Structures are given as C-alpha cells and as structure tokens.
Amino acid sequence: MKYISTRGGMEKLSFKQTVFEGLAPDGGLIIPEKVPTLSPEEIKHLSSLSYQELALNVFRYFIDDMPEEELKEIIDRSYQTFRTKEVTPVVKAGDFYILELFHGPTWAFKDVALQFLGNLFEKLLLETGKKINILGATSGDTGSAAIYGVRGKKNIAIFILYPYKRVSEVQALMMNTVTDENVFNLAIEGTFDDCQAIVKKIFMDLEFKRKYRLTAINSINWARVMAQMVYYFWAYFRVCEKEGVEKIIFSVPTGNFGDIFAGYLVRRMLGNERIPKLILATNENDILYRFVNFGDYSLGTVKPTISPSMDIQVASNFERYLYYLLGEDPEKTKQAMERFASEKALRFDQEMIERIQQDFMSDRATEEEILSTIKTFYQETGYILDPHTAVGVKAAKRFKEDIPIVCLATAHPAKFPETVSKALGFELDLPLEIKKLYQLPQKYEVLPASISKVKEFIETKAV
Ligand SMILES: *Cc1c(COP(=O)(O)O)cnc(C)c1O
C-alpha cells in the first residue's frame, strides 16, 4: 500500500515513511492510496480472530514494508499492557452495546493507538539508528496516553506541557507518576492555550526542530487512525454473532474526527451496508453536528465543557472525510480547505447534505443532557458512563432503531470522578489501580509560560 496526500501534492510514501509524519508537505493529510473492499470470504476469516490476530490481519492491508513476524511482535507487546485479554470488550447495557475502549494504562481510548505507536516508533528508530524528541501540549488525556506509549523506550524522549494546577487531579497523577528517565512532565504556570502556543512556537523554530529532531504525536498520524480501525471490526463481529444479524450502527463521541474516521474506513471496507450509519455525537462544541445536519462547517469559539477531550472546533481529521465526500478529488479538497482557512467556514448545499447523511447521523449533548444521561443510564442499567461516552449514548437514544447500536466508551468514569459523582448523586468509587497512584512518587518540573525556558529545558534533556 502506498500513501498519498488529500491535496495531491506529495510523492507517494510507503507505510514506514508515514509513521513519523504529521501533515503532508502540501498541507494535506496522509491517506492510503486505495481503501480495499473486503470479499465475504475475507470478512468471514476476520470474524473468528483474536484481537491481536485481527489487528495483524487488518494492518496487513495497509502495511507491505514490514515483515509479518515483526509486526506481530509489536502488536502482541502493545496489547499486553491492557487489563483485559479481549483488549476492547463489548458489553450489553440496557438497549445498547458498549465497546469499552478504556482498559489500557491511562483508562481512555487513546491508549489503543498510542501503545502501538510507541512500540512502532521504537522499532523503526532502532532500525535506522535515529533518535527523536517528542514534544506536545495536553489538557489531560492525550498527554498521558502519549507518555505511557513511549515510557522507557530507547532513543525517544518525551516532553509534555500541561497547565499547572489546571488539569484534574487524576490526570496530573497519571502523568507525574511516570518517573522513567525519558519522560519529562512540564507543569506550565499558565493555561492550556499558553502550553499550546509555546509548543507551536518551538515547532516553528525550524533550526531548533531539526537539531533536536522534534516530533509531534498528534491525532492526524496515519498509524494512529489505522490502529483504531481494529476495534470497529472487533465489535462488529462480536455483536453480529450475539444478535445473529449482519448490520450494526456505531455511536461515536467525537472531537478531532480521528476515532469516527477509523469507523468510516471500516464501513467502506465492509461495503457500507453492514454499517448503515455512523452516529457522530458532539458536545456543545458542535461544528461537526452542524456540518452533518445543516451543511454548516463554520468555526465557533471553543467552550470548555465537562467532556473536555471533545472541546474542539477545528476537527483535525475532517479533511480526510472531506476528500472522500468530494469524490476523492485532491484539487477540490485543496480548494475547500483553502477556502476554510480564509473564510473560517464551509457551506454545503442540499445535495451534499444528503450525501453526508448517507454516512452519518449527528446529535449534540448539552452539559445538562450529559449529566442526566449518566444518571438515567445508571438507574436503568446499573452501568456508569463517563461524560464523553454519555454524549454518544445520548445520541444513540435519539436515533434508536431496529439495528443494534454499539456505543464507544472512550474513557473510564474514574478519569472524571468529580463530574460523574455529581451526576450520580453519590461518590464514585475509584478502581484500586487509580487509588494507588496517590501513593506513588512523582516527577515533574514547574516552569514559567516562557518559550525560552522550555527550550532550555529540552536542550539539557533531549536524546
Ligand atoms: C480524544 C477523545 C475523544 C475524541 O476523539 P477524536 O478522535 O478526537 O474524535 C473522545 N473521548 C475521549 C475520552 C477522548 O480522550
């Protein structure tokens, strides 16, 4: 499989060449040259595999420049860190199935991709003798998942900036208790926006970036999207088997469009009718909800909510879907994205809206609706949702049909104990593994919101 840019201006890359890339050089996103459509025999074959075998078989469609044994070893190592053998179990709760994506080390779905990516990075770096320094800013989830992805890995150091005393206690503990030599938690005296601005400025210093081989670890990375495809196949097969059906709908709490885009690709590979629709669920940051329902992709201001990992206006993976929506036409994609960059809005006519709605249905949840969904779902089923998963469940309730719906559970409720306890009306009991974090030694550096101070720090600690 070769890889191309959504904007058409990149020489084709092999899989390995995409692994350390963010944006394509022409500003587009990297996508596979062709998405394979699977035959009924291929689908049947995939249906009987373990999670790890399934991952290997799905990846084989997209990777042809790594030996199978090597890939298998990386996959096995990546999912050993999960607390369940099934990696992403599917459980029934009330009318819905819940796909639990939170059994990895940081109790949220980003582990599924980042555990794999960390091992992949290490392998490819050993092969080439190169070293990298990962730099990123986090408001909570992504940072800790990235840290756990690369902790203790050779030839990699990671520097994660987060706003000091402005992330939840559990989130700070998950980062600060990782004391590996190659992990640097930088608690910045400022806001998340300050952290992001510092990281952006440092990446813009091209000489510094080259000298320290700075690498981002963001949600547009192709290998991350690919790793997320596996659990859609996995849940599809489990639920079809249990229900004796061939059609399933997924409800996906969405921010950057990375998770649901993986679902979109799986839907194409299975031949669309097996997953008749994907439910795109947003919180009050609803640009994607407006896109699906009204063809209105116009930028709003980001509003902080109780489902913070979805507080996003510009969805960084959106361009990948746009490419397919516009008939896989790189020129049209480029023009649309350039128009969005200058006008901060794209509008789609009725015909396009109908086309979008063949793929997606979309609903949004307000803060009150998130709280009341957690409460009523617990009363009805005994299952406790986290505030992100609740956004997806609220949407699933609205679109309930004869076809079974799988709601993606993107985080464990214990990651957001304040919100969940408030919704339930009683104190949420934390899992032992999370309680233990409070006893562990911590390692972090408090730094002022200063580009030069962060640079100095990186200079002394970089690999
Ligand atoms: C990142 C995240 C999301 C959003 O996923 P996208 O791929 O950005 O759409 C949803 N829930 C949780 C808990 C997350 O960490």
Side-chain angles (χ1 to χ4, degrees):
M1 180 69 76
K2 290 279 183 278
Y3 289 85
I4 56 172
S5 162
T6 48
R7 301 191 192 181
M10 178 182 85
E11 297 241 4
K12 289 180 187 174
L13 300 181
S14 73
F15 172 77
K16 275 194 204 171
Q17 288 172 317
T18 72
V19 172
F20 294 98
E21 298 302 323
L23 286 179
D26 62 353
L29 298 191
I30 296 171
I31 47 167
E33 189 174 32
K34 187 170 176 299
V35 180
T37 308
L38 307 187
S39 69
E41 292 73 36
E42 288 175 295
I43 294 172
K44 186 153 186 301
H45 171 63
L46 295 180
S47 71
S48 61
L49 304 176
S50 72
Y51 190 95
Q52 288 81 349
E53 291 165 343
L54 180 64
L56 182 63
N57 279 268
V58 171
F59 294 173
R60 291 255 53 113
Y61 288 107
F62 298 98
I63 305 175
D64 54 17
D65 57 347
M66 287 179 74
E68 180 148 333
E69 270 312 303
E70 203 169 272
L71 200 51
K72 182 174 179 319
E73 189 273 325
I74 293 173
I75 292 168
D76 288 345
R77 204 143 39 88
S78 300
Y79 297 113
Q80 258 165 28
T81 55
F82 280 60
R83 291 177 298 276
T84 66
K85 197 169 111 290
E86 286 192 287
V87 184
T88 62
V90 185
V91 302
K92 183 99 198 267
D95 294 333
F96 302 121
Y97 284 92
I98 307 283
L99 170 55
E100 296 186 336
L101 302 174
F102 52 67
H103 294 286
T106 73
W107 304 76
F109 96 99
K110 292 191 174 69
D111 287 329
V112 180
L114 287 170
Q115 285 293 302
F116 172 71
L117 194 65
N119 287 315
L120 185 63
F121 273 0
E122 185 179 52
K123 182 84 202 172
L124 299 184
L125 290 171
L126 276 174
E127 229 172 73
T128 56
K130 288 189 185 141
K131 296 179 179 188
I132 56 168
N133 291 288
I134 296 171
L135 174 65
T138 188
S139 55
D141 269 357
T142 317
S144 57
I147 288 168
Y148 273 85
V150 303
R151 67 183 297 182
K153 302 257 182 284
K154 295 180 202 79
N155 303 320
I156 304 176
I158 184 165
F159 300 84
I160 294 291
L161 281 65
Y162 69 85
Y164 185 44
K165 296 192 170 153
R166 285 184 162 103
V167 299
S168 83
E169 198 175 11
V170 173
Q171 285 177 330
L173 279 170
M174 263 181 201
M175 294 187 273
N176 295 342
T177 55
V178 180
T179 56
D180 298 67
E181 258 176 47
N182 69 330
V183 173
F184 301 98
N185 296 302
L186 305 182
I188 300 294
E189 293 172 317
T191 63
F192 172 57
D193 287 342
D194 295 329
C195 297
Q196 250 186 334
I198 294 170
V199 167
K200 216 169 159 179
K201 286 269 164 55
I202 296 179
F203 271 109
M204 278 160 61
D205 181 344
L206 295 181
E207 195 182 321
F208 190 87
K209 181 178 170 221
R210 205 170 322 114
K211 184 165 177 206
Y212 294 100
R213 298 159 315 277
L214 290 187
T215 305
I217 198 165
N218 42 33
S219 77
I220 58 175
N221 182 290
W222 164 253
R224 265 181 83 172
V225 174
M226 185 188 72
Q228 289 167 187
M229 293 171 68
V230 179
Y231 50 72
Y232 284 93
F233 280 109
W234 173 258
Y236 174 78
F237 293 131
R238 299 294 82 70
V239 174
C240 283
E241 195 184 341
K242 261 188 213 144
E243 295 278 333
V245 297
E246 284 203 339
K247 287 186 203 291
I248 304 287
I249 287 176
F250 286 93
S251 183
V252 189
T254 298
N256 265 322
F257 208 86
D259 197 0
I260 199 166
F261 182 71
Y264 172 79
L265 291 180
V266 171
R267 179 173 176 270
R268 285 181 75 106
M269 289 177 78
L270 288 172
N272 288 351
E273 74 280 1
R274 287 174 188 255
I275 302 177
K277 292 277 194 290
L278 292 160
I279 300 175
L280 190 163
T282 75
N283 63 23
E284 290 178 26
N285 296 291
D286 63 357
I287 182 169
L288 292 166
Y289 161 83
R290 288 183 279 113
F291 165 69
V292 173
N293 286 295
F294 316 113
D296 166 25
Y297 190 76
S298 61
L299 200 59
T301 47
V302 179
K303 182 183 166 194
T305 73
I306 53 175
S307 47
S309 302
M310 293 158 60
D311 291 347
I312 280 151
Q313 280 291 341
V314 183
S316 54
N317 280 286
F318 174 74
E319 181 171 341
R320 285 190 165 116
Y321 174 65
L322 190 64
Y323 172 81
Y324 292 101
L325 181 65
L326 299 176
E328 303 184 38
D329 183 332
E331 198 46 47
K332 279 190 192 160
T333 309
K334 181 167 170 244
Q335 282 167 9
M337 291 312 295
E338 283 171 359
R339 192 163 352 112
F340 180 72
S342 64
E343 294 170 17
K344 303 285 174 248
L346 289 177
R347 306 212 191 267
F348 297 85
D349 63 19
Q350 195 52 39
E351 192 196 322
M352 288 299 268
I353 294 173
E354 277 162 28
R355 217 184 291 171
I356 296 162
Q357 292 182 353
Q358 283 171 11
D359 299 327
F360 300 106
M361 303 186 277
S362 181
D363 191 24
R364 75 197 278 274
T366 62
E367 301 288 271
E368 297 75 40
E369 285 167 336
I370 293 172
L371 292 171
S372 68
T373 301
I374 294 172
K375 180 166 184 162
T376 54
F377 200 71
Y378 175 70
Q379 288 167 341
E380 288 162 11
T381 70
Y383 192 95
I384 301 178
L385 303 167
D386 102 288
H388 303 79
T389 308
V391 172
V393 169
K394 190 252 166 183
K397 283 186 168 181
R398 167 152 165 225
F399 293 121
K400 199 171 159 327
E401 313 194 13
D402 294 340
I403 305 171
I405 301 184
V406 177
C407 297
L408 273 60
T410 53
H412 190 283
K415 265 202 116 161
F416 304 92
E418 296 85 4
T419 302
V420 175
S421 300
K422 182 178 158 199
L424 294 173
F426 59 83
E427 203 63 32
L428 183 72
D429 199 18
L430 298 184
L432 194 61
E433 291 97 327
I434 290 186
K435 280 189 195 152
K436 276 191 199 152
L437 292 176
Y438 289 83
Q439 322 298 327
L440 295 178
Q442 300 189 25
K443 173 184 146 182
Y444 62 97
E445 202 78 27
V446 181
L447 291 180
S450 143
I451 298 166
S452 59
K453 284 282 187 296
V454 173
K455 275 184 170 169
E456 272 170 34
F457 188 90
I458 294 173
E459 280 165 357
T460 59
K461 306 288 185 187
V463 290

